[in-house]
Amino acid sequence: MTTATAAADPAGAFAGYLDCLADADEYGAIDLAIGLLDAGVPAERVLLDLVAPAQAEVGERWARNEWSVAQEHAATHISEQVVAAVVAHVNPRPTGGRVVVACMDGEWHALPPRLVAEVLRLRGWQVTFLGASVPAAHLVSYLHRYDAHAVALACALPMRLPYAHRMIEACRRSDVPVVVGGRGFGADGRWARRLGVAWAADAPAAADLIADERALRAVPPPRLTHLADDEYASLVRRRGELIDGALADLLERVPAARAYSATQLDSTVSDLGHIVDFLAAAVYVDDSSLFTEFVEWLLEILVSRGVPAEAVALPFDFYRVALRDFPRAGRVLALGRAALPVADR
């Protein structure tokens, strides 16, 4: 591949773009993206074949503990600036109706839905991007004020699914069709189907679905009759008690944890909370695979940061005992625990 060809190909420019992110070189990243546009590469390809996969790699480098949170944030900011520069360079004009794009309440991963918003804008829609963590009441208020053709909602973390469901239902009560996306709904959209909402695997699929209002509204009802047992609500009510108990148990069984710094202790409490939240989400959608996938991811993250694999298992054992009267949660915990090493109790 010649240099000229590489310059006109997002795949050929990928390594150079990652270098810009690694070096916190905002101007270099923007120049590279604009250079692709000037070479005739469509703006949608620059966004989806360069910026999107680079952001995925940024996340992987953080997960492998190769990049700090600060480096990840800097790279994300640069990519946000690149997205803005690409769209400003093309300067598309709306020819269609309004589409509102937002993150779920409590969801802070705003770049993926921003890419969806800009792809929709490039395809002629009048797009309002509300950004990260939009409270349901504020979104509904906005929908009452402005006539929207559709709402696109993003969720990166499955533990937010119960909140996502409430947000989806709030939009429907405003008679605005909803399409959802993001890893939080499962790689194949399985949890979107459980919630009874249209799902798109990527930005082009979301654009195609939004353009077909009949398909957008033709979704089956939610399959959540299991929530009648009240186990999810009871589990959520006990969240604080469970976290406090698991932390006390961990400090007793792992003496080294007593010497944790305030930052380490905060991270531990956060991890203990995530276990409960992902467990609750799995109970909400009645799918243990949600929790098992989280457990495997958590183990990889913590081990890469020097936490012994056996110590990771201790909170799961504590939660199983504490939730012995919760049959569905107990089954989910047992399957998740099976993915972990055996801890010495």
Short mmCIF file of all heavy atoms in Angstrom, two decimals, residues 4-52:
data_model
loop_
_atom_site.label_atom_id
_atom_site.label_comp_id
_atom_site.label_asym_id
_atom_site.label_seq_id
_atom_site.Cartn_x
_atom_site.Cartn_y
_atom_site.Cartn_z
N ALA A 4 0.05 7.40 -0.35
CA ALA A 4 -1.14 8.12 -0.81
C ALA A 4 -2.39 7.28 -0.59
O ALA A 4 -3.43 7.79 -0.17
CB ALA A 4 -1.00 8.48 -2.29
N THR A 5 -2.28 5.98 -0.89
CA THR A 5 -3.44 5.10 -0.70
C THR A 5 -3.79 5.00 0.78
O THR A 5 -4.95 5.04 1.17
CB THR A 5 -3.15 3.70 -1.26
OG1 THR A 5 -2.78 3.82 -2.62
CG2 THR A 5 -4.37 2.80 -1.12
N ALA A 6 -2.77 4.86 1.62
CA ALA A 6 -3.02 4.76 3.06
C ALA A 6 -3.69 6.01 3.57
O ALA A 6 -4.57 5.96 4.44
CB ALA A 6 -1.70 4.52 3.80
N ALA A 7 -3.29 7.17 3.02
CA ALA A 7 -3.87 8.42 3.47
C ALA A 7 -5.34 8.52 3.12
O ALA A 7 -6.09 9.26 3.76
CB ALA A 7 -3.12 9.60 2.87
N ALA A 8 -5.78 7.81 2.09
CA ALA A 8 -7.18 7.85 1.66
C ALA A 8 -7.96 6.65 2.17
O ALA A 8 -9.04 6.37 1.67
CB ALA A 8 -7.25 7.92 0.13
N ASP A 9 -7.44 5.96 3.15
CA ASP A 9 -8.06 4.74 3.67
C ASP A 9 -8.06 4.79 5.19
O ASP A 9 -6.99 4.84 5.80
CB ASP A 9 -7.30 3.51 3.16
CG ASP A 9 -7.86 2.22 3.73
OD1 ASP A 9 -9.02 2.23 4.17
OD2 ASP A 9 -7.12 1.22 3.72
N PRO A 10 -9.24 4.78 5.84
CA PRO A 10 -9.26 4.81 7.30
C PRO A 10 -8.45 3.69 7.94
O PRO A 10 -7.79 3.90 8.96
CB PRO A 10 -10.75 4.69 7.63
CG PRO A 10 -11.43 5.28 6.45
CD PRO A 10 -10.60 4.87 5.27
N ALA A 11 -8.47 2.50 7.34
CA ALA A 11 -7.69 1.39 7.90
C ALA A 11 -6.20 1.70 7.86
O ALA A 11 -5.45 1.41 8.80
CB ALA A 11 -7.99 0.10 7.15
N GLY A 12 -5.75 2.30 6.76
CA GLY A 12 -4.35 2.65 6.65
C GLY A 12 -3.94 3.77 7.57
O GLY A 12 -2.78 3.88 7.97
N ALA A 13 -4.92 4.61 7.95
CA ALA A 13 -4.62 5.74 8.84
C ALA A 13 -4.79 5.38 10.31
O ALA A 13 -4.48 6.19 11.19
CB ALA A 13 -5.55 6.91 8.49
N PHE A 14 -5.26 4.16 10.59
CA PHE A 14 -5.62 3.78 11.95
C PHE A 14 -4.44 3.88 12.92
O PHE A 14 -4.55 4.45 14.00
CB PHE A 14 -6.19 2.36 11.95
CG PHE A 14 -6.69 1.88 13.28
CD1 PHE A 14 -7.89 2.33 13.79
CD2 PHE A 14 -5.95 0.99 14.04
CE1 PHE A 14 -8.36 1.90 15.02
CE2 PHE A 14 -6.41 0.55 15.26
CZ PHE A 14 -7.61 1.00 15.76
N ALA A 15 -3.30 3.31 12.53
CA ALA A 15 -2.14 3.31 13.43
C ALA A 15 -1.69 4.74 13.74
O ALA A 15 -1.36 5.07 14.89
CB ALA A 15 -0.99 2.52 12.82
N GLY A 16 -1.67 5.60 12.73
CA GLY A 16 -1.28 6.98 12.95
C GLY A 16 -2.25 7.71 13.85
O GLY A 16 -1.85 8.53 14.69
N TYR A 17 -3.54 7.41 13.70
CA TYR A 17 -4.55 8.04 14.55
C TYR A 17 -4.37 7.61 16.00
O TYR A 17 -4.43 8.43 16.92
CB TYR A 17 -5.95 7.68 14.04
CG TYR A 17 -7.06 8.39 14.78
CD1 TYR A 17 -7.39 9.70 14.49
CD2 TYR A 17 -7.80 7.73 15.75
CE1 TYR A 17 -8.42 10.36 15.16
CE2 TYR A 17 -8.82 8.37 16.43
CZ TYR A 17 -9.13 9.68 16.13
OH TYR A 17 -10.15 10.33 16.79
N LEU A 18 -4.12 6.31 16.21
CA LEU A 18 -3.87 5.83 17.57
C LEU A 18 -2.64 6.48 18.18
O LEU A 18 -2.61 6.78 19.38
CB LEU A 18 -3.72 4.30 17.58
CG LEU A 18 -5.00 3.48 17.65
CD1 LEU A 18 -4.67 1.99 17.58
CD2 LEU A 18 -5.79 3.79 18.92
N ASP A 19 -1.63 6.69 17.36
CA ASP A 19 -0.42 7.37 17.85
C ASP A 19 -0.77 8.79 18.33
O ASP A 19 -0.26 9.26 19.35
CB ASP A 19 0.64 7.44 16.76
CG ASP A 19 1.30 6.08 16.50
OD1 ASP A 19 1.18 5.20 17.37
OD2 ASP A 19 1.91 5.92 15.43
N CYS A 20 -1.65 9.46 17.58
CA CYS A 20 -2.07 10.80 17.99
C CYS A 20 -2.80 10.75 19.33
O CYS A 20 -2.58 11.60 20.21
CB CYS A 20 -2.98 11.42 16.93
SG CYS A 20 -2.14 11.87 15.39
N LEU A 21 -3.65 9.75 19.50
CA LEU A 21 -4.37 9.61 20.77
C LEU A 21 -3.38 9.32 21.91
O LEU A 21 -3.51 9.88 23.01
CB LEU A 21 -5.41 8.51 20.68
CG LEU A 21 -6.54 8.70 19.67
CD1 LEU A 21 -7.55 7.56 19.78
CD2 LEU A 21 -7.24 10.04 19.84
N ALA A 22 -2.43 8.45 21.64
CA ALA A 22 -1.45 8.09 22.67
C ALA A 22 -0.60 9.30 23.08
O ALA A 22 -0.20 9.44 24.24
CB ALA A 22 -0.56 6.95 22.19
N ASP A 23 -0.31 10.16 22.11
CA ASP A 23 0.52 11.34 22.37
C ASP A 23 -0.29 12.56 22.78
O ASP A 23 0.28 13.66 22.95
CB ASP A 23 1.33 11.69 21.11
CG ASP A 23 2.33 10.61 20.74
OD1 ASP A 23 2.71 9.84 21.64
OD2 ASP A 23 2.70 10.52 19.56
N ALA A 24 -1.63 12.38 22.92
CA ALA A 24 -2.51 13.51 23.23
C ALA A 24 -2.35 14.64 22.22
O ALA A 24 -2.36 15.82 22.56
CB ALA A 24 -2.28 14.02 24.65
N ASP A 25 -2.21 14.25 20.96
CA ASP A 25 -2.00 15.20 19.87
C ASP A 25 -3.33 15.49 19.18
O ASP A 25 -3.68 14.87 18.18
CB ASP A 25 -0.98 14.63 18.88
CG ASP A 25 -0.66 15.59 17.74
OD1 ASP A 25 -1.20 16.72 17.73
OD2 ASP A 25 0.13 15.20 16.85
N GLU A 26 -4.07 16.42 19.74
CA GLU A 26 -5.40 16.74 19.22
C GLU A 26 -5.33 17.28 17.79
O GLU A 26 -6.11 16.88 16.92
CB GLU A 26 -6.08 17.76 20.14
CG GLU A 26 -7.45 18.22 19.67
CD GLU A 26 -8.08 19.19 20.64
OE1 GLU A 26 -7.80 19.09 21.86
OE2 GLU A 26 -8.86 20.05 20.19
N TYR A 27 -4.40 18.18 17.54
CA TYR A 27 -4.33 18.80 16.21
C TYR A 27 -3.90 17.78 15.16
O TYR A 27 -4.40 17.79 14.03
CB TYR A 27 -3.37 19.99 16.24
CG TYR A 27 -3.84 21.07 17.18
CD1 TYR A 27 -3.23 21.27 18.42
CD2 TYR A 27 -4.94 21.87 16.86
CE1 TYR A 27 -3.68 22.24 19.29
CE2 TYR A 27 -5.39 22.85 17.72
CZ TYR A 27 -4.77 23.03 18.94
OH TYR A 27 -5.23 23.98 19.81
N GLY A 28 -2.98 16.88 15.52
CA GLY A 28 -2.58 15.84 14.58
C GLY A 28 -3.72 14.92 14.24
O GLY A 28 -3.90 14.52 13.07
N ALA A 29 -4.54 14.56 15.23
CA ALA A 29 -5.68 13.68 14.98
C ALA A 29 -6.70 14.36 14.07
O ALA A 29 -7.25 13.73 13.14
CB ALA A 29 -6.33 13.28 16.31
N ILE A 30 -6.96 15.63 14.33
CA ILE A 30 -7.92 16.36 13.49
C ILE A 30 -7.39 16.48 12.06
O ILE A 30 -8.13 16.27 11.08
CB ILE A 30 -8.22 17.74 14.10
CG1 ILE A 30 -9.01 17.58 15.40
CG2 ILE A 30 -8.99 18.61 13.10
CD1 ILE A 30 -9.22 18.88 16.16
N ASP A 31 -6.12 16.83 11.92
CA ASP A 31 -5.53 16.97 10.58
C ASP A 31 -5.61 15.65 9.81
O ASP A 31 -5.89 15.64 8.60
CB ASP A 31 -4.06 17.41 10.69
CG ASP A 31 -3.93 18.86 11.11
OD1 ASP A 31 -4.93 19.60 11.04
OD2 ASP A 31 -2.81 19.25 11.51
N LEU A 32 -5.37 14.54 10.50
CA LEU A 32 -5.43 13.25 9.84
C LEU A 32 -6.84 12.96 9.34
O LEU A 32 -7.04 12.53 8.19
CB LEU A 32 -4.98 12.15 10.82
CG LEU A 32 -4.70 10.76 10.26
CD1 LEU A 32 -3.71 10.02 11.15
CD2 LEU A 32 -5.99 9.95 10.17
N ALA A 33 -7.86 13.23 10.19
CA ALA A 33 -9.24 12.97 9.79
C ALA A 33 -9.67 13.88 8.64
O ALA A 33 -10.31 13.43 7.68
CB ALA A 33 -10.16 13.16 10.99
N ILE A 34 -9.33 15.15 8.72
CA ILE A 34 -9.70 16.08 7.65
C ILE A 34 -8.96 15.72 6.37
O ILE A 34 -9.50 15.86 5.26
CB ILE A 34 -9.39 17.53 8.07
CG1 ILE A 34 -10.20 17.91 9.32
CG2 ILE A 34 -9.68 18.49 6.92
CD1 ILE A 34 -11.70 17.78 9.16
N GLY A 35 -7.73 15.22 6.50
CA GLY A 35 -7.00 14.77 5.32
C GLY A 35 -7.71 13.64 4.60
O GLY A 35 -7.73 13.57 3.36
N LEU A 36 -8.32 12.74 5.35
CA LEU A 36 -9.11 11.67 4.73
C LEU A 36 -10.30 12.24 3.98
O LEU A 36 -10.61 11.81 2.86
CB LEU A 36 -9.58 10.69 5.81
CG LEU A 36 -8.52 9.78 6.43
CD1 LEU A 36 -9.10 9.02 7.62
CD2 LEU A 36 -7.97 8.79 5.40
N LEU A 37 -10.98 13.20 4.60
CA LEU A 37 -12.12 13.83 3.91
C LEU A 37 -11.67 14.50 2.62
O LEU A 37 -12.32 14.36 1.57
CB LEU A 37 -12.77 14.87 4.83
CG LEU A 37 -13.43 14.36 6.12
CD1 LEU A 37 -13.96 15.53 6.93
CD2 LEU A 37 -14.56 13.39 5.81
N ASP A 38 -10.58 15.23 2.68
CA ASP A 38 -10.08 15.94 1.50
C ASP A 38 -9.64 14.96 0.40
O ASP A 38 -9.62 15.30 -0.78
CB ASP A 38 -8.92 16.85 1.88
CG ASP A 38 -9.36 18.04 2.72
OD1 ASP A 38 -10.58 18.35 2.72
OD2 ASP A 38 -8.50 18.64 3.40
N ALA A 39 -9.27 13.73 0.83
CA ALA A 39 -8.87 12.71 -0.14
C ALA A 39 -10.06 11.96 -0.73
O ALA A 39 -9.88 11.05 -1.54
CB ALA A 39 -7.91 11.71 0.51
N GLY A 40 -11.27 12.35 -0.30
CA GLY A 40 -12.48 11.75 -0.88
C GLY A 40 -13.15 10.67 -0.06
O GLY A 40 -14.12 10.06 -0.50
N VAL A 41 -12.65 10.42 1.15
CA VAL A 41 -13.28 9.42 2.01
C VAL A 41 -14.56 10.01 2.58
O VAL A 41 -14.53 11.11 3.15
CB VAL A 41 -12.34 8.99 3.15
CG1 VAL A 41 -13.03 7.96 4.05
CG2 VAL A 41 -11.05 8.41 2.57
N PRO A 42 -15.71 9.33 2.47
CA PRO A 42 -16.96 9.86 3.04
C PRO A 42 -16.85 10.06 4.55
O PRO A 42 -16.19 9.29 5.25
CB PRO A 42 -17.99 8.78 2.70
CG PRO A 42 -17.42 8.04 1.54
CD PRO A 42 -15.92 8.06 1.74
N ALA A 43 -17.49 11.10 5.03
CA ALA A 43 -17.42 11.43 6.46
C ALA A 43 -17.91 10.27 7.32
O ALA A 43 -17.36 10.01 8.40
CB ALA A 43 -18.24 12.69 6.74
N GLU A 44 -18.94 9.57 6.86
CA GLU A 44 -19.46 8.44 7.65
C GLU A 44 -18.39 7.36 7.84
O GLU A 44 -18.28 6.78 8.92
CB GLU A 44 -20.70 7.86 6.97
CG GLU A 44 -21.38 6.78 7.79
CD GLU A 44 -22.73 6.38 7.23
OE1 GLU A 44 -23.53 7.29 6.87
OE2 GLU A 44 -23.01 5.17 7.16
N ARG A 45 -17.60 7.12 6.82
CA ARG A 45 -16.52 6.12 6.95
C ARG A 45 -15.44 6.60 7.91
O ARG A 45 -14.88 5.80 8.67
CB ARG A 45 -15.90 5.83 5.59
CG ARG A 45 -16.69 4.88 4.71
CD ARG A 45 -15.82 4.38 3.58
NE ARG A 45 -14.68 3.62 4.07
CZ ARG A 45 -13.52 3.48 3.40
NH1 ARG A 45 -13.35 4.07 2.23
NH2 ARG A 45 -12.55 2.77 3.92
N VAL A 46 -15.13 7.88 7.90
CA VAL A 46 -14.13 8.40 8.82
C VAL A 46 -14.60 8.18 10.26
O VAL A 46 -13.82 7.76 11.13
CB VAL A 46 -13.85 9.89 8.56
CG1 VAL A 46 -12.90 10.46 9.61
CG2 VAL A 46 -13.26 10.09 7.16
N LEU A 47 -15.88 8.44 10.51
CA LEU A 47 -16.41 8.28 11.86
C LEU A 47 -16.45 6.81 12.28
O LEU A 47 -16.07 6.47 13.41
CB LEU A 47 -17.81 8.88 11.95
CG LEU A 47 -17.91 10.39 11.71
CD1 LEU A 47 -19.37 10.83 11.83
CD2 LEU A 47 -17.05 11.17 12.68
N LEU A 48 -16.92 5.95 11.38
CA LEU A 48 -17.18 4.56 11.77
C LEU A 48 -16.00 3.62 11.56
O LEU A 48 -15.90 2.59 12.24
CB LEU A 48 -18.39 4.03 10.99
CG LEU A 48 -19.70 4.78 11.21
CD1 LEU A 48 -20.82 4.14 10.42
CD2 LEU A 48 -20.05 4.86 12.69
N ASP A 49 -15.11 3.95 10.61
CA ASP A 49 -13.98 3.06 10.33
C ASP A 49 -12.67 3.56 10.92
O ASP A 49 -11.66 2.85 10.87
CB ASP A 49 -13.81 2.89 8.81
CG ASP A 49 -15.01 2.23 8.15
OD1 ASP A 49 -15.83 1.64 8.89
OD2 ASP A 49 -15.14 2.31 6.92
N LEU A 50 -12.67 4.76 11.48
CA LEU A 50 -11.46 5.29 12.11
C LEU A 50 -11.71 5.63 13.58
O LEU A 50 -11.13 5.02 14.47
CB LEU A 50 -10.97 6.54 11.38
CG LEU A 50 -9.70 7.18 11.97
CD1 LEU A 50 -8.50 6.27 11.78
CD2 LEU A 50 -9.44 8.55 11.35
N VAL A 51 -12.62 6.55 13.84
CA VAL A 51 -12.83 7.02 15.21
C VAL A 51 -13.42 5.92 16.08
O VAL A 51 -12.94 5.69 17.20
CB VAL A 51 -13.75 8.26 15.22
CG1 VAL A 51 -13.99 8.72 16.65
CG2 VAL A 51 -13.13 9.39 14.40
N ALA A 52 -14.43 5.23 15.58
CA ALA A 52 -15.10 4.21 16.41
C ALA A 52 -14.16 3.06 16.81
O ALA A 52 -14.06 2.72 17.99
CB ALA A 52 -16.34 3.68 15.70
#
